[in-house]
Each structure stands twice: as structure tokens, then as C-alpha cells.
Amino acid sequence: MMHDQAVHLLLVEDDDAHAMLVERSVLGSGERVTMDRVHDGVEAVAYVRRQGEFQDRPRPDLILLDLELPRMHGHEVLRTLKADDVLKMIPVVVLTTSDAEQDRHKAYSLHANGYLVKPTDFGKFRQMIGAVTSYWGVWNRPASDSAA
């Protein structure tokens, strides 16, 4: 994720309306971002591992992860990714409607890199997504793959 390269974002979101809001917000952020979306936790893990239909997809620079997902809960996706020595370096930001303390605590205990509660107001939602793409795409400096 450098200034001269687009950030590749993976959105893990089963709700089409929420996914559309994220997509519109990302595209309207003014940042250089490419985005793919998967609909459940099983697809998310397969995508990041580049398995099956996702074998030709780029590894994401950032994952936005909903918690309430079909087939595999977001917490389980976090546990799976952060237990893998290669995949654990990918930042995962939880993006959910749940502001429950137990969900936040569990997400951070599983090494989430952030926890965002989806605002109900579109303007605030768009502002939040813009801040996320700016932070992770422009300001944050990730560890390089070659340092491992």
C-alpha cells in the first residue's frame, strides 16, 4: 500500500444494501481503491487463501469484515486469518451494526485491527469509509512482504 499503488480492499458483507453503501463510499472517497466483495465467511477465507474461484484474485491490502455472516461467523473468520502466519499480516477492520461490548472484546481478542459500527446516516457512513480508505491507503505503512 504505497501512494503510487491502488489499495485493494476485500469487503466481506452478506447484506446487499450495506455492500452498496460501502462501494459507493469507497468510489466517492477520492482515494485509489479497488474492491472485491464476498458474501460469507467461507468465501472470505477461500478468497484470502486464493483457493478455487478466487485463485487469480490479488491478496487484499485491507479486509472490511462484517460479523453476522452466513456459513462462518466473522469472529471465526478473524480467528482463522490471524492464526495463519502469512495471512495474519493483512489488516482486518470489523464493520458491523453490533456495538455490543462482548462483540468488540472478542474481535480485539482475535486481533482485529479496528472495530467500526455502521452509522445509520449515509453521510456519516460515507465519511467513515472515506477516513478508513485514507488511513489504510495513504497514511498507514504496512510491513513489507519481503521482511518476513
Side-chain angles (χ1 to χ4, degrees):
M1 283 188 289
M2 310 275 250
H3 290 286
D4 59 342
Q5 197 174 330
V7 173
H8 184 61
L9 175 73
L10 176 62
L11 175 64
V12 186
E13 174 63 73
D14 62 315
D15 184 297
D16 289 337
H18 289 177
M20 187 189 73
L21 281 176
V22 172
E23 191 171 318
R24 285 177 57 194
S25 299
V26 164
L27 294 176
S29 70
E31 304 298 340
R32 294 182 57 210
V33 180
T34 59
M35 188 175 109
D36 279 333
R37 174 194 175 198
V38 293
H39 296 80
D40 63 50
V42 172
E43 285 185 354
V45 172
Y47 184 103
V48 177
R49 288 182 174 159
R50 296 176 172 156
Q51 296 171 330
E53 66 182 289
F54 305 113
Q55 63 187 4
D56 296 327
R57 300 306 306 145
R59 186 146 288 149
D61 298 305
L62 174 66
I63 299 170
L64 291 180
L65 176 68
D66 191 20
L67 288 182
E68 297 301 325
L69 295 167
R71 300 206 295 161
M72 181 188 282
H73 193 274
H75 285 134
E76 199 53 43
V77 173
L78 258 176
R79 179 181 285 110
T80 301
L81 297 180
K82 295 302 184 177
D84 183 300
D85 282 339
V86 174
L87 304 179
K88 71 181 179 184
M89 299 294 278
I90 302 170
V92 180
V93 175
V94 172
L95 180 63
T96 183
T97 56
S98 172
D99 198 16
E101 174 61 34
Q102 70 261 24
D103 283 340
R104 291 195 315 265
H105 185 270
K106 187 168 186 177
Y108 281 118
S109 74
L110 293 169
H111 308 288
N113 298 89
Y115 192 101
L116 303 173
V117 178
K118 298 172 183 172
T120 53
D121 174 81
F122 176 70
K124 288 182 178 160
F125 193 100
R126 189 178 191 139
Q127 184 179 11
M128 181 182 72
I129 296 299
V132 167
T133 56
S134 177
Y135 174 79
W136 291 102
V138 177
W139 301 109
N140 185 61
R141 289 291 173 254
S144 69
D145 292 335
S146 60

